Amino acid sequence: MQITNTILMIRPVSFRMNEQTAVNNYFMEDLEIKNQVINNKAQEEFDNFVGVLRSKGINVIVVDDTKLPDTPDSIFPNNWISFHADGTVVLYPMFAENRRNERREDVLDILEERGFLIENILDYTSAEEAGVFLEGTGSILLDRENEKAYCALSERADEELFIEFCEDFEYFPILFTANQSVAGKRLPIYHTNVMMCLAEQFVVICLDAIDDKKERKNVLDHLKKDDKEIIVISEAQMHHFAGNMLQVLGSDDQRFLVMSSAAYHSLISAQIRQIEKHCEIIHSSLETIETCGGGSARCMMAEVFLPKSH
């Protein structure tokens, strides 16, 4: 299965702009409001978003963050953990030191209490000691059906570790560099999942971010070979998080593409029609989370593919 109906989400308690991730996440902006106000707004956006998902029959497991240790980015769990259909859980090495505190064993206990089976934990976090990072499904886009993995290299996505991941899971690695314009320079985009969304039958991708023509052609060749309809977004749309989407299953196995309202409103009608040929779009306003956190709807959802224990 490429998509799942079960999503893990972490409800924030001390969300704010994370000074440690701001150094290479150029999507973040400093808001002129105090942290408590920011967190309250983020919680409101989070709760509304969960409500929208649940109203479509998507199974959302919400875990509350803890006050201590300080984890301003805990709302983005897909960077530290991923769950796989063979019962494997993967833990990933994180660039920002304060993001490493997001890893919580009790999250696994909660999933097991909900009847999910965890057979094996694959832990890559020791790579942090060597200054090597690979931030989960932020860095890695998995085509589970075709056993391919896409990765835009950056400070947060190490080539050797990505290759090791692909060997461990028997995925074919597709590597490239994705850039964005920052103050007149082309700088690496911090996560693959802000410029690309891989769904069952289509892909939403910012091709302009892949400056190298050979790399761009290689990515396109793989997508075409796997019969994905290619929906191209501009760099401006990417900055409204139009690449940061996730396809999920709702009730009666209905497909949905989940995104923020900012992402939705950045799309043109032709792009919306392309998506709606495949599935319904659902969106919710995540303005505070996007502005202070530099991440959007996709980053907030960790997909659960674990088998059920019954």
Side-chain angles (χ1 to χ4, degrees):
M1 280 290 282
Q2 176 61 19
I3 56 178
T4 177
N5 74 331
T6 304
I7 301 294
L8 169 77
M9 294 178 67
I10 307 288
R11 190 173 189 270
V13 294
S14 52
F15 178 81
R16 63 168 196 278
M17 180 168 175
N18 185 353
E19 57 291 338
Q20 293 186 15
T21 57
V23 294
N24 57 18
N25 179 345
Y26 310 110
F27 287 77
M28 295 163 82
E29 296 168 43
D30 213 347
L31 282 190
E32 290 292 314
I33 49 177
K34 287 282 169 273
N35 287 340
Q36 190 52 53
V37 180
I38 289 174
N39 185 61
N40 290 347
K41 280 181 177 285
Q43 284 180 334
E44 192 182 325
E45 290 173 0
F46 179 94
D47 293 341
N48 289 340
F49 184 34
V50 170
V52 169
L53 294 172
R54 285 179 172 161
S55 74
K56 299 293 186 181
I58 298 154
N59 178 25
V60 185
I61 298 169
V62 174
V63 176
D64 283 305
D65 192 17
T66 50
K67 275 276 189 204
L68 290 170
D70 176 41
T71 48
D73 276 331
S74 62
I75 200 166
F76 305 130
N78 82 310
N79 299 142
W80 68 266
I81 195 163
S82 65
F83 306 99
H84 302 264
D86 64 352
T88 300
V89 172
V90 186
L91 303 176
Y92 296 92
M94 310 279 280
F95 168 79
E97 284 183 33
N98 64 3
R99 291 212 64 189
R100 299 169 195 174
N101 297 327
E102 293 172 33
R103 297 190 291 253
R104 291 167 52 183
E105 276 184 37
D106 66 321
V107 167
L108 304 184
D109 299 335
I110 290 164
L111 287 169
E112 287 184 318
E113 281 162 23
R114 298 285 180 102
F116 290 98
L117 202 59
I118 296 171
E119 299 278 15
N120 177 33
I121 296 174
L122 196 54
D123 188 344
Y124 296 111
T125 58
S126 63
E128 286 166 352
E129 293 159 29
V132 167
F133 314 108
L134 187 66
E135 297 195 331
T137 54
S139 300
I140 306 167
L141 257 63
L142 295 175
D143 185 338
R144 295 167 192 263
E145 295 281 308
N146 297 298
E147 296 179 335
K148 292 178 181 179
Y150 295 81
C151 181
L153 297 176
S154 72
E155 283 186 282
R156 306 198 199 182
D158 178 77
E159 181 170 355
E160 282 180 26
L161 193 54
F162 171 63
I163 299 289
E164 186 182 327
F165 170 91
C166 290
E167 285 171 354
D168 288 340
F169 280 93
E170 298 181 355
Y171 276 79
F172 183 83
I174 299 151
L175 279 160
F176 55 96
T177 303
N179 294 312
Q180 66 191 109
S181 294
V182 181
K185 290 191 188 127
R186 296 294 279 167
L187 297 175
I189 293 170
Y190 75 108
H191 278 157
T192 316
N193 76 0
V194 292
M195 54 76 64
M196 182 175 175
C197 157
L198 201 61
E200 278 181 322
Q201 294 164 326
F202 64 96
V203 63
V204 177
I205 186 168
C206 179
L207 290 173
D208 286 348
I210 308 176
D211 293 336
D212 186 292
K213 286 194 177 72
K214 275 189 189 156
E215 290 183 353
R216 191 185 317 151
K217 183 180 183 304
N218 183 44
V219 169
L220 281 170
D221 286 349
H222 278 284
L223 294 167
K224 285 173 182 165
K225 197 159 113 191
D226 299 328
D227 291 328
K228 302 280 188 204
E229 180 176 357
I230 293 158
I231 302 169
V232 178
I233 55 169
S234 66
E235 195 169 322
Q237 290 175 315
M238 178 183 76
H239 278 278
H240 288 98
F241 293 100
N244 197 240
M245 306 165 166
L246 183 67
Q247 192 181 31
V248 296
L249 284 173
S251 43
D252 302 323
D253 280 350
Q254 196 183 342
R255 271 89 178 134
F256 296 97
L257 189 65
V258 183
M259 65 189 72
S260 71
S261 297
Y264 179 76
H265 293 304
S266 78
L267 298 174
I268 59 171
S269 51
Q271 292 166 321
I272 290 171
R273 280 198 304 274
Q274 277 181 291
I275 293 166
E276 286 180 339
K277 278 193 316 200
H278 302 285
C279 60
E280 187 184 323
I281 294 172
I282 47 177
H283 63 89
S284 190
S285 173
L286 302 171
E287 197 180 345
T288 312
I289 292 164
E290 289 175 329
T291 307
C292 296
S296 187
R298 166 67 189 106
C299 305
M300 294 168 67
M301 298 182 282
E303 304 152 278
V304 181
F305 286 94
L306 297 169
K308 285 290 217 174
S309 52
H310 53 252

